[in-house]
Amino acid sequence: MNAVKRIYQRDRHIFRLIVMIVAWMIFMAITRFDKFYTVVNFQTMAGQFPEFGLMSLGAMLCMITGGIDLSSVGIANVTSILLALFMNAQAAKSESGDISVAMIALVFVMAVCIGLVCGSINGLLISKVKIPPILATLGINQLLTGVCMVVTGGNAVSGLPAAYSASINNKILKVVPGKRGTMQGLIPVQLLFFVVAALLVWFLLMRTSYGKKLYMMGTSENVARFSGVKVDRMLIKTYALSGMLAAMGGMIMLANYNSARSDYGNVYTLQCILIVVLGGVDPKGGRGKISGVLLAIVLLRLLETGINRFPQISSYYITLIWGAVLLLVMVLNYFEDHPIVKRK
Amino acid sequence: MDLKKTVRKLTGRSEFYILLVFIALCLLIEVRSHQFFTPNNIVDLLSALVVPGIFAIGEFMVIVSGGFDVSFPALASLTGFAVTKLLLNMDYQGGVWLPILMTLAIGGLLGAFNGLFIGYFELPAMIVTLGSSSVFKGFMQGTLNSKQLATIPVGMRNFGTSALFVAQNKQSGLTSRMPTTFIALVVVLVLAWFLLNRTMFGRGIYASGGNAVSAHRAGFNVKRTRFLMFVFVGMISALAGMCRVCMMQQMHPTNMLGMEMNIIAGVVLGGTAIVGGSGTLFGCMLGTALIVVVENSMILIGIPTVWKDVFVGALIVLGTGLSAMQVTRAQKASLRNVRKEAAK
Amino acid sequence: MSDYLLKAVDINKSFAGVKALQGVSLEIKPGEIHCLAGENGCGKSTLIKVISGVYQPDSGYIEFDGKRYSQITPLGAIAMGIQVIYQDFSIFPNLTVMENLAFNTELAAGHKLVNRKRMRKIAEEALSKINFDMELDRLVGSLTVAEKQMVAICRALMFNAKLIIMDEPTTALTKKEVSALFEIILKLKAQGIAILFVSHKLNEVFEISERFTIFRSGKLIVTGDTRELDDKKFSFYMTGREFENEKFKPSFESQGNVLEVKNLSLTGAFEDISFGLRRGEILGITGLLDSGRTELALALFGIRQATGGQILKDGSAVTIKSPRDAIACGIGFVPEDRLSEGLFLPRSIGDNIIISEIDRLTKGPSVLDRKACQAEIDKWVRELAIATPDPNNASSTLSGGNQQRIVLAKWLACKPDILILNGPTVGVDIGSKHDIHKILQRLADQGMAVIIISDDLPEVLENCSDLIVMKGGRIVATLDPGETDENTVLSHMM
């Protein structure tokens, strides 16, 4: 009980998110226990959320600077399309018609590079040309989506080498009993990518001078400049980092859909912002924890999957519930800042 | 002397540069295609401007008041679907007045929902509308179980197909009809201009976008102003959605979604300050028209439509980049001027 | 009819158990210029808000024009003839002068539609009240601070004001503008309008007001005739402490200049600035607000880039293009505006102290050494006696003086050879001001070179070993503070 109280006092926002998750888990346990609490169900969730989870991590970093990144989806799609074409070309060249593991590793290195370049362009436009982040990233998103359209003509790139999906859209740690005595994997590979990225971001924010400077800069860019923080370089780094995370998200999307297209995941743009704000990151910058963002991701995923377990309820209700949760959290925060005082 | 002053005043405003870009673009297309300044092309463009134009007016007001609205496509879709569906169920055979009245009523109600959170709870508009956009979408697709409606009531159909006049290209013989819905754009434009420039309510929108605390001290009811403004924005956004349904002769619940970003880009291109408080309706319409022209004139100069997003994206980046650099220069110049005056 | 226009009697006001005002009273005669002084947080602003109806007092009452009120609403206060001119002037930078002047009147009259003719008339009338001339269609954002203030004053006059409260009106004004403002105030007085002038600047209290009232910690300390007030008494009333000011005498022996500036210029700001600075010296640079002193400081620290000339550190030329370069050269800079340049207010005291030297507090490439960080924070909190129970608290919880110590600590932690301070004691209470001067003198004695940029003449005369006076972007005099006085310096400045 004391532990609960401590969490409440330390951060009410995090506390509320935890309460909502627990309440929803209990509700699902009561109503749909056997359909919800299955290994497969949790595996599916864990394999899917890294797509937008990775983008949300990047969006969080940008929002801590007081900016916003609306280009994640464009970066993700341009990465996945270009690399899907690349892998297809490589597979066609090879005798087996497939690609090697080393090639997959190379592809991921290339993905990171594409993300780095796109993100750095965002950063340059914001820090050097001084375009407001919302417009710079919006324009770059449109530009990249356009590039995708030009490259693909609006069609999906499919027929990927089997090895790619087989290695990324897979599960490791073979401990789950499957059919006919075989053992199946427990942990989805996509989740590993996300966990590594989340740990990395956590480490950057909490344990490095970059993180400290990022929060300070988000609080006041001007004071940071007067304190000797290289603000321009910090901005470029941050948007580049966000670009790299988005590119990784694109690679996960490529594995999950086994194809790439210019309009995949376009709901994620606003969804990532929603997650980040729901996670308690201040849109004005300077405030926000990765724990809040992780909880928000988990909460949204649990809500969506949970509702899908009720066949009579349209899955479209999920967006309604997301929006309602966001507004509810905001209003609760409002009343925390403006306590209702009884007037005489 | 007066002329000099006027010129300086003109060149100091970003609308002026957008106007130059706009004229240059039109001339370029004309030189390449000889088809731009033909009656039917101009009518086609004006017809394409109706819906984005009305949306842009609403977005313009919100940005001037110091926020962003990303909910209007969802709001317009929900209203459009609800009204069309209801009238179809009633087997409504009357004119267009009832649908329009219903649209305005529902749109105003949904706008009030936004206004409640933004005006009275003082929550940031961008985040609230992000949430409410989710709620509206979820309500439409979940609760109302929206599907594409292939037919619309006869009154709406007549309204959408009727023409003010028909323009003909003498060379090619192609004709284009000027839709009656264009009147809606003109009416909304005049009304918005009157509200913003000729009523204390409108000046209150500018004042609170400039400095909300001062506006309150001066005696503006900032909360009520914002609330009423969102009601109005909801009404005109819904009207734009209704125009689109009528013009397309069918109700497609999701094809307006995702328009918000281009509309914001158009408004900001037109010189509206994203921090609020300044901008003109003229600039707003000019920026929107610029995007509409780019989107619709690619064919004329022989560029495949897949390049559309690339050009719009580049336009956003270039346009905002130029005006950002202009602002930086102006700030430096004004600093120098102040010094000069002080030195006297 | 009583003798007093305003009588605030025995006002009490608490916020969440903290007593902001304890039984204070204030009396103002019609047409009087009254100065209300006190350190930050003494209750000045709370009382203003009570008088203007923003806050309701817990007990006590207000008598205005012979009528007694136990409660005032903001609109009621305006109707009674009370106008407040806030520090930020409450203006709309994005709108025209005309609209700024006319909105209040139009709204008060309940007009729903904009009538430009009527608004123009109102605006012209407002300007004519103090015979002020200004283009009505200009955007207020493009005006100078002083002009903005005039707009605010003219607007206040539209409501048949009997009492105008000005909250620290001179903070951002040049000397010339202050005298212009004082002329206006005298003009208003001649029209029978009483002025309540809130300030903690001593010379202003002397110059303009007839009577004064001083608050300390929510209590009334003294009220009386300005003629009976002097320097010493004023400090004592404000702080409850007595100060013995010591003149600085450099004691650190050193050879050669640690910093030398040769013909430094920045187009449009300053030209041909040359001076040298040795360790252990405190160099004062003074001048009016528009003399280029601030730009010089910014150029030395790399925020602005000099367009000509040379900076030499320990005899060798250096280029300073960014604050990072300056820090690498061993230069620290305490900026002018603490709130927007010096301090991350919502962040912890500790974070504020270590931000500038953070790249040194790492092990590995950029991994923070948290033990070293904590040690550094504890050291500076102790060393500069920053009054806080916990360095993890937000900086905004501290008083102005303690906040300034944090900024100082931030730079001392970088172990600079040269410390530049631009207005080191602006907005700092007298007690802390004294302590900060002590610290600076001690630093110089330990071998640091210090530059104080300030227009607080007693401050530079007392603490500096050399004094440069700037005017119109150039050095006009180099003085020995020991052999000059305020009037001489002033005559060079003007």
Side-chain angles (χ1 to χ4, degrees), chain C residues 189-221:
Chain C
K189 175 187 160 65
Q191 293 173 17
I193 298 170
I195 311 278
L196 179 61
F197 191 94
V198 181
S199 176
H200 58 241
K201 289 190 190 161
L202 179 64
N203 49 359
E204 291 173 6
V205 179
F206 286 137
E207 189 175 339
I208 190 79
S209 65
E210 297 151 67
R211 296 199 313 132
F212 71 94
T213 299
I214 293 178
F215 283 7
R216 194 198 314 146
S217 322
K219 287 185 198 138
L220 174 77
I221 300 300

Side-chain angles (χ1 to χ4, degrees), chain C residues 416-491:
Chain C
D417 299 323
I418 304 148
L419 185 64
I420 304 171
L421 302 100
N422 193 5
T425 54
V426 172
V428 168
D429 52 78
I430 294 177
S432 288
K433 187 172 173 176
H434 179 76
D435 295 341
I436 286 173
H437 289 159
K438 277 254 142 79
I439 293 171
L440 293 179
Q441 298 194 4
R442 199 178 69 217
L443 289 169
D445 286 340
Q446 289 164 1
M448 193 179 285
V450 180
I451 301 177
I452 295 178
I453 296 164
S454 169
D455 59 359
D456 182 341
L457 294 182
E459 174 171 271
V460 286
L461 287 175
E462 223 159 72
N463 294 291
C464 297
S465 47
D466 274 302
L467 180 61
I468 288 175
V469 184
M470 285 179 71
K471 182 185 170 187
R474 291 172 174 276
I475 295 181
V476 290
T478 308
L479 305 166
D480 179 351
E483 290 169 8
T484 186
D485 56 32
E486 282 189 40
N487 285 331
T488 318
V489 180
L490 262 178
S491 68

Side-chain angles (χ1 to χ4, degrees), chain C residues 198-488:
Chain C
V198 181
S199 176
H200 58 241
K201 289 190 190 161
L202 179 64
N203 49 359
E204 291 173 6
V205 179
F206 286 137
E207 189 175 339
I208 190 79
S209 65
E210 297 151 67
R211 296 199 313 132
F212 71 94
T213 299
I214 293 178
F215 283 7
R216 194 198 314 146
S217 322
K219 287 185 198 138
L220 174 77
I221 300 300
V222 63
T223 177
D225 212 316
T226 312
R227 273 168 299 177
E228 290 156 20
L229 198 63
D230 66 32
D231 215 328
K232 273 240 170 87
K233 276 192 199 158
F234 184 74
S235 312
F236 178 72
Y237 289 141
M238 296 271 281
T239 61
R241 286 160 65 186
E242 293 208 39
F243 299 101
E244 272 315 312
N245 290 322
E246 275 173 47
K247 249 211 77 36
F248 173 65
K249 295 232 165 36
S251 66
F252 186 88
E253 300 276 323
S254 72
Q255 307 285 321
N257 288 332
V258 61
L259 180 77
E260 201 174 340
V261 172
K262 279 187 185 165
N263 310 103
L264 201 68
S265 303
L266 174 60
T267 315
F270 57 81
E271 258 173 281
D272 209 14
I273 303 288
S274 302
F275 62 84
L277 180 65
R278 273 190 298 214
R279 290 178 186 275
E281 281 186 339
I282 301 181
L283 172 69
I285 299 178
T286 189
L288 300 176
L289 200 63
D290 51 14
S291 62
R293 57 183 160 101
T294 295
E295 287 81 358
L296 175 62
L298 294 180
L300 289 175
F301 191 59
I303 302 262
R304 305 276 302 265
Q305 280 84 37
T307 46
Q310 244 187 337
I311 300 172
L312 288 89
K313 166 80 195 303
D314 288 322
S316 49
V318 289
T319 38
I320 297 179
K321 279 168 125 182
S322 71
R324 211 62 250 171
D325 293 344
I327 293 169
C329 287
I331 298 176
F333 181 64
V334 176
E336 193 172 24
D337 183 353
R338 200 167 49 234
L339 303 186
S340 74
E341 297 167 350
L343 209 58
F344 301 94
L345 271 184
R347 305 225 68 96
S348 73
I349 295 161
D351 283 356
N352 269 293
I353 292 175
I354 59 169
I355 179 68
S356 287
E357 58 156 347
I358 197 154
D359 286 323
R360 259 188 285 156
L361 298 173
T362 52
K363 43 186 181 188
S366 63
V367 182
L368 281 183
D369 182 345
R370 295 200 288 163
K371 263 195 203 136
C373 290
Q374 196 54 49
E376 195 71 9
I377 293 167
D378 291 342
K379 176 181 156 196
W380 289 108
V381 167
R382 211 172 43 240
E383 199 123 310
L384 294 185
I386 296 170
T388 177
D390 181 357
N392 288 322
N393 288 351
S395 311
S396 53
T397 55
L398 298 184
S399 69
N402 275 303
Q403 288 181 356
Q404 193 69 337
R405 281 172 217 224
I406 300 177
V407 184
L408 210 51
K410 169 168 85 181
W411 291 110
L412 296 183
C414 292
K415 303 187 186 62
D417 299 323
I418 304 148
L419 185 64
I420 304 171
L421 302 100
N422 193 5
T425 54
V426 172
V428 168
D429 52 78
I430 294 177
S432 288
K433 187 172 173 176
H434 179 76
D435 295 341
I436 286 173
H437 289 159
K438 277 254 142 79
I439 293 171
L440 293 179
Q441 298 194 4
R442 199 178 69 217
L443 289 169
D445 286 340
Q446 289 164 1
M448 193 179 285
V450 180
I451 301 177
I452 295 178
I453 296 164
S454 169
D455 59 359
D456 182 341
L457 294 182
E459 174 171 271
V460 286
L461 287 175
E462 223 159 72
N463 294 291
C464 297
S465 47
D466 274 302
L467 180 61
I468 288 175
V469 184
M470 285 179 71
K471 182 185 170 187
R474 291 172 174 276
I475 295 181
V476 290
T478 308
L479 305 166
D480 179 351
E483 290 169 8
T484 186
D485 56 32
E486 282 189 40
N487 285 331
T488 318

